Amino acid sequence: MHTLQTCQELDAADTLAPLRQQFSLPEGVIYLDGNSLGVLPTAASARVAEVVSQEWGQGLIRSWNSAGWFELPRRLGDKIARLIGARPGEVVATDSTSINLYKVLSAALNIAAEDAPARKRIVSERSNFPTDLYIAEGLCRERGYTLQLVEPEDIAAALTADVAVLMLTHVNYRTGAMHDMAAVTRAAHAAGILTVWDLAHSAGAVPVDLNGARADFSIGCGYKYLNGGPGAPAFVWVNPRHADRFWQPLSGWWGHANPFAFTPDYQPAPGIGRYLCGTQPIINLAVLECGLDTVLAAEPLGGMTALRTKSLALTDLFIALVEQRCGGYGLGLATPREHAARGSQVCLTRDEGAFAIVQALIARGVIGDFRAGDGGLGRHKDILRFGLTPLYIGFEDVWHAVEHLRQVLESGEWQKPEFNQKHAVT
Amino acid sequence: MHTLQTCQELDAADTLAPLRQQFSLPEGVIYLDGNSLGVLPTAASARVAEVVSQEWGQGLIRSWNSAGWFELPRRLGDKIARLIGARPGEVVATDSTSINLYKVLSAALNIAAEDAPARKRIVSERSNFPTDLYIAEGLCRERGYTLQLVEPEDIAAALTADVAVLMLTHVNYRTGAMHDMAAVTRAAHAAGILTVWDLAHSAGAVPVDLNGARADFSIGCGYKYLNGGPGAPAFVWVNPRHADRFWQPLSGWWGHANPFAFTPDYQPAPGIGRYLCGTQPIINLAVLECGLDTVLAAEPLGGMTALRTKSLALTDLFIALVEQRCGGYGLGLATPREHAARGSQVCLTRDEGAFAIVQALIARGVIGDFRAGDGGLGRHKDILRFGLTPLYIGFEDVWHAVEHLRQVLESGEWQKPEFNQKHAVT
């Protein structure tokens, strides 16, 4: 039986609690949406002022060298590598998740076209993040492939001899369900299929071991659990056994073997360098580094393993409190109970009112978000989504969040008209 | 005969001179590299602090709507449109120049493949900016096209019946030579060829009229004459007669007709909206808007026409002073003397020492840059490049810059070892 007091005791015993001091959080807010946009590292304000006023304003063009701008995608890539089981030099921070997916999926299709030209299918999950499906759909149209969308339980059966690539998001954005990356990759490889993993809801949230899983390609997002700021550059990793094999199609100057020679013909850089393309948004990259540093600050305290332990304790607590205190209000659980199958979020379902309940919670300062059931196709129920980021969320926060949820349901305040007006949400 | 005094008189009579007060420039620097990286708008420091501390830090995920983040690519696009002869709703600010070129060149090839499938060639200039050639080279490999590179004087003869697309940079990055966009586009269209114009060295530097020229596709850079900060997002324009015809291949969520519906299938937004892809770097976009505002501030003073008049006066003065005061030092002129064929920069050549002379000038606070002769292939001479940005450069600046050049040449100080050590330059 959890009480406010037992939650406070968990916070008092939490060795990761001091990490919260790295962030500037609004007063009166319990922020359970770090899986959509991470919070502001306090260091970012001073850093961005330095980049703008000093590096740009005073250093001007000289800062490409003197301030290390040109090295940022690789320097940040090396920091991200420490969080996802990659080695130094294997990752770059660049462009958006969608664009990086286009690069790696193109490269994967090029490899498949050479090694197994009869394989003309990409398999993914129907509830994968839509932009991943859109990018795959575009490439399929362009190259004569078919995109086959299946439910998670049907993935194994879909790994047939005509499949070139299995493209999955490691932790599902809607449900928080997590794939066993090593096992799924083994199954794909046994069937002669390459794997592309989207780590948008994994990097900085759960331990990832890309090399250990022998994954083929991976991309991820900088502005969710990595706290890199709105629209922060994404990242891309390619297994070294594939990295030198093909150009990716976005062959811009920053991916050139000798970018300052200004030769008219393209020669790709060795390794992950060729996955760079054009000039990068330096200010956002500098801010992303502040975000990465907030996660790496956990390394002396046990790193991703310790963060994962706390994350599971937070999500366990959230589920237990909802069941203990919000019974009888029609809530269901979309997130798996099994630890190995769960990311760092808890998703609840409700037959009606999910959108309005989320709005009522936001009005009380408890920020989660709403996700419609399967793109409005009605295959799944609407979802109330709560991301629990162990870097800055504590156990007492969970208590209060669930208590607000209970009050919103008990009072029926979610039925007020102002909470039922849908507008654009992200 | 120009003197310091006549230059000062020109400054005193310059109605655009107050525009310089919009910028924070380092003390003791004459910055003639705004064609590579524009200078810092003073307003950007406060704006970036607001975006980081308030919109991100306090507003968090809510700022996608409440702070208008989602509208930034279109809102900034409308501002850029005013500078390039486009209409509201025809331009978006997004991604990098290289990536936007990939989008429009792909779309142009799609149109050509449908309308004129026998045309299998892209024509460009050998001294086009390298990344443009790299992107075209990648697309040619992917789709079975040939990239034909010609000298500027051979473009007209190259517009033959097997050419699908003519891809040019309006103002050449090395020489400052400017094409007649309307005439070249007419010649291309008469031969059944689509045009792609890179405005990297034009937008904010010279008047551009994309619709007047009936151009087909265009892209450009945010961090040169638009003062958007290092790696600022680029922009893309598509003639409305083409915009709805094809997907561009980077079909991400932000280009979806209904991006918040989260449907698994892609439906492109109408018009230029479909040229958006993934989530954009919001902080850099906000800073780019400050840069755009510095150029638009010229509108009540005569806008791009007035800026162009001053730009030509500045480049004329620079050329005249070099000839008047630096004769006998082996300098040549790579930039056309004819106004209609010149952008906003002056490029000098020298058989030897161009790199070291630029370094010696930088050491004196006169920042221009060096460009090797045609990618080191020896086809052209090395270049000393000086961008003259009328928003913040005055006539007296030009006097002092040329006087420093004269002293560097006369004293032979450019021959010092420290000015001859080549390292990575951008």
Side-chain angles (χ1 to χ4, degrees):
Chain A
M1 185 79 172
H2 298 286
T3 64
L4 175 57
Q5 190 187 332
T6 63
C7 292
Q8 289 167 336
E9 287 163 4
L10 287 169
D11 280 331
D14 174 16
T15 55
L16 300 181
L19 294 172
R20 182 184 182 131
Q21 292 160 18
Q22 302 179 95
F23 300 99
S24 300
L25 284 156
E27 286 291 315
V29 162
I30 299 174
Y31 191 64
L32 306 182
D33 214 3
N35 52 335
S36 190
L37 175 66
V39 303
L40 171 64
T42 306
S45 297
R47 178 73 184 114
V48 81
E50 180 185 33
V51 173
V52 169
S53 299
Q54 294 303 312
E55 296 183 6
W56 176 19
Q58 297 293 309
L60 288 163
I61 193 70
R62 299 168 288 201
S63 290
W64 279 102
N65 293 309
S66 61
W69 289 350
F70 191 68
E71 296 307 316
L72 281 175
R74 290 168 186 270
R75 189 168 87 215
L76 273 59
D78 284 350
K79 290 190 173 186
I80 294 166
R82 288 151 63 181
L83 302 170
I84 59 175
R87 287 174 286 254
E90 290 182 359
V91 178
V92 285
T94 187
D95 293 331
S96 67
T97 309
S98 302
I99 284 172
N100 289 335
L101 179 60
Y102 185 82
K103 297 173 188 170
V104 298
L105 199 51
S106 296
L109 292 179
N110 282 342
I111 290 175
E114 192 167 283
D115 294 356
R119 295 177 179 266
K120 287 292 188 188
R121 197 181 290 273
I122 298 172
V123 168
S124 192
E125 248 185 274
R126 188 177 308 280
S127 71
N128 198 344
F129 192 63
T131 204
D132 292 29
L133 301 182
Y134 303 159
I135 292 287
E137 188 182 350
L139 269 167
C140 284
R141 273 167 66 115
E142 201 177 299
R143 305 204 181 183
Y145 281 72
T146 306
L147 178 60
Q148 180 187 0
L149 301 183
V150 300
E151 299 300 319
E153 59 273 20
D154 300 326
I155 291 172
L159 302 179
T160 53
D162 61 342
V163 175
V165 175
L166 173 64
M167 176 187 86
L168 292 174
T169 297
H170 182 222
V171 174
N172 186 281
Y173 83 105
R174 289 183 69 259
T175 61
M178 181 166 73
H179 290 290
D180 181 335
M181 182 186 288
V184 173
T185 299
R186 260 195 312 277
H189 287 178
I193 297 165
L194 293 164
T195 55
V196 173
W197 290 99
D198 182 343
L199 301 181
H201 293 265
S202 307
V206 298
V208 176
D209 187 1
L210 288 168
N211 277 308
R214 295 185 52 75
D216 297 289
F217 298 91
S218 183
I219 51 141
C221 178
Y223 55 79
K224 297 180 187 291
Y225 291 97
L226 299 181
N227 305 313
F235 64 85
V236 54
W237 170 86
V238 175
N239 192 305
R241 70 176 176 269
H242 302 310
D244 288 333
R245 234 182 115 177
F246 282 97
W247 298 11
Q248 52 91 6
L250 295 164
S251 47
W253 76 276
W254 212 329
H256 196 281
N258 195 351
F260 298 109
F262 286 88
T263 59
D265 60 311
Y266 183 72
Q267 292 295 332
I272 196 66
R274 70 182 58 186
Y275 284 80
L276 297 169
C277 177
T279 306
Q280 291 302 302
I282 296 300
I283 303 171
N284 271 75
L285 273 173
V287 170
L288 170 58
E289 188 164 25
C290 298
L292 297 175
D293 289 344
T294 65
V295 188
L296 294 173
E299 283 186 344
L301 304 171
M304 285 308 307
T305 304
L307 287 169
R308 174 64 168 166
T309 300
K310 179 174 173 187
S311 160
L312 286 170
L314 289 168
T315 50
D316 277 345
L317 175 66
F318 194 99
I319 294 168
L321 282 172
V322 167
E323 294 182 337
Q324 177 187 318
R325 297 171 59 78
C326 302
Y329 294 117
L331 294 173
L333 180 67
T335 304
R337 289 176 194 275
E338 187 196 343
H339 281 181
R342 187 197 307 164
S344 195
Q345 68 192 59
V346 174
C347 297
L348 305 177
T349 60
R350 198 164 190 274
D351 283 338
E352 61 161 347
F355 176 84
I357 295 165
V358 168
Q359 299 308 310
L361 284 170
I362 291 173
R364 286 166 167 261
V366 179
I367 302 182
D369 61 24
F370 164 79
R371 286 293 177 263
D374 200 18
L377 300 181
R379 191 181 309 266
H380 302 294
K381 292 185 183 180
D382 287 349
I383 275 181
L384 302 84
R385 188 172 72 157
F386 303 97
L388 294 148
T389 310
L391 280 175
Y392 50 80
I393 295 297
F395 297 92
E396 185 176 344
D397 292 327
V398 174
W399 171 271
H400 292 302
V402 176
E403 175 59 14
H404 280 294
L405 175 61
R406 191 190 65 74
Q407 291 175 15
V408 162
L409 292 165
E410 185 180 70
S411 67
E413 74 188 61
W414 62 272
Q415 291 168 309
K416 290 184 187 172
E418 70 255 39
F419 298 137
N420 284 274
Q421 289 161 355
K422 287 201 189 186
H423 51 75
V425 288
T426 59
Chain B
M1 186 76 172
H2 296 286
T3 64
L4 176 57
Q5 191 185 331
T6 64
C7 291
Q8 288 167 337
E9 287 163 6
L10 288 168
D11 279 331
D14 174 17
T15 55
L16 300 182
L19 294 172
R20 181 182 180 132
Q21 292 160 18
Q22 302 179 97
F23 299 99
S24 301
L25 284 156
E27 285 292 317
V29 162
I30 299 175
Y31 191 66
L32 306 182
D33 214 3
N35 52 336
S36 190
L37 175 66
V39 303
L40 171 65
T42 307
S45 297
R47 178 72 184 113
V48 81
E50 181 185 33
V51 174
V52 169
S53 299
Q54 294 303 311
E55 296 183 6
W56 176 20
Q58 296 294 308
L60 287 163
I61 193 70
R62 299 168 289 200
S63 289
W64 278 103
N65 293 309
S66 60
W69 289 350
F70 191 69
E71 296 307 316
L72 281 175
R74 291 168 185 271
R75 190 169 85 214
L76 273 58
D78 284 350
K79 291 190 173 186
I80 294 167
R82 289 150 64 182
L83 301 171
I84 59 175
R87 287 174 287 255
E90 291 182 359
V91 178
V92 285
T94 188
D95 293 331
S96 66
T97 310
S98 301
I99 284 171
N100 289 335
L101 179 59
Y102 185 83
K103 297 172 188 169
V104 298
L105 199 51
S106 297
L109 292 180
N110 282 343
I111 290 175
E114 191 167 284
D115 294 356
R119 294 177 179 266
K120 287 292 188 188
R121 198 181 289 272
I122 299 173
V123 168
S124 192
E125 250 186 274
R126 186 176 308 279
S127 70
N128 199 344
F129 192 64
T131 203
D132 292 28
L133 301 181
Y134 303 159
I135 292 288
E137 188 183 351
L139 270 168
C140 284
R141 274 168 66 115
E142 201 177 299
R143 303 202 183 186
Y145 282 72
T146 305
L147 177 61
Q148 181 187 0
L149 301 183
V150 301
E151 299 300 320
E153 61 272 21
D154 300 326
I155 291 172
L159 301 179
T160 53
D162 60 342
V163 176
V165 175
L166 174 63
M167 176 187 85
L168 292 174
T169 297
H170 181 225
V171 174
N172 185 282
Y173 83 105
R174 290 184 69 257
T175 63
M178 182 166 73
H179 290 290
D180 180 337
M181 183 186 289
V184 173
T185 299
R186 262 197 310 277
H189 287 178
I193 297 166
L194 294 164
T195 55
V196 173
W197 290 99
D198 182 343
L199 301 179
H201 292 265
S202 308
V206 298
V208 176
D209 187 0
L210 287 168
N211 278 307
R214 294 185 51 74
D216 298 289
F217 298 91
S218 183
I219 52 141
C221 177
Y223 54 80
K224 298 180 187 289
Y225 292 97
L226 299 180
N227 305 313
F235 64 85
V236 55
W237 170 86
V238 174
N239 191 304
R241 70 177 175 270
H242 303 309
D244 288 333
R245 240 184 111 177
F246 282 97
W247 298 10
Q248 53 90 6
L250 295 164
S251 47
W253 76 275
W254 212 331
H256 196 280
N258 196 351
F260 298 108
F262 288 86
T263 59
D265 60 311
Y266 183 72
Q267 290 296 331
I272 195 66
R274 70 182 60 185
Y275 285 79
L276 296 170
C277 178
T279 306
Q280 291 301 302
I282 295 301
I283 303 171
N284 271 75
L285 273 172
V287 170
L288 171 58
E289 188 163 27
C290 298
L292 297 174
D293 289 343
T294 65
V295 189
L296 295 172
E299 284 186 342
L301 304 172
M304 284 309 306
T305 305
L307 288 169
R308 173 64 168 165
T309 301
K310 180 175 173 186
S311 160
L312 286 169
L314 289 169
T315 49
D316 278 345
L317 175 66
F318 194 99
I319 294 168
L321 281 173
V322 167
E323 294 181 338
Q324 177 187 314
R325 298 173 56 79
C326 302
Y329 293 118
L331 294 173
L333 179 67
T335 304
R337 288 176 194 277
E338 187 195 345
H339 281 180
R342 188 198 305 163
S344 197
Q345 69 192 59
V346 175
C347 298
L348 306 177
T349 59
R350 198 163 191 273
D351 284 335
E352 61 161 346
F355 176 83
I357 295 165
V358 168
Q359 298 309 308
L361 284 170
I362 291 173
R364 285 165 167 263
V366 179
I367 302 181
D369 62 23
F370 163 81
R371 285 294 177 262
D374 200 18
L377 300 182
R379 193 181 309 266
H380 302 295
K381 291 185 183 179
D382 287 350
I383 275 181
L384 302 85
R385 188 173 73 157
F386 303 98
L388 294 148
T389 310
L391 280 175
Y392 50 81
I393 295 297
F395 296 92
E396 186 176 342
D397 292 327
V398 174
W399 172 272
H400 291 303
V402 176
E403 175 59 15
H404 279 294
L405 174 61
R406 191 190 66 73
Q407 291 175 16
V408 163
L409 291 165
E410 186 182 70
S411 67
E413 75 188 58
W414 61 273
Q415 291 167 309
K416 289 184 189 172
E418 70 255 38
F419 298 137
N420 284 273
Q421 288 161 356
K422 287 202 188 184
H423 51 76
V425 289
T426 59

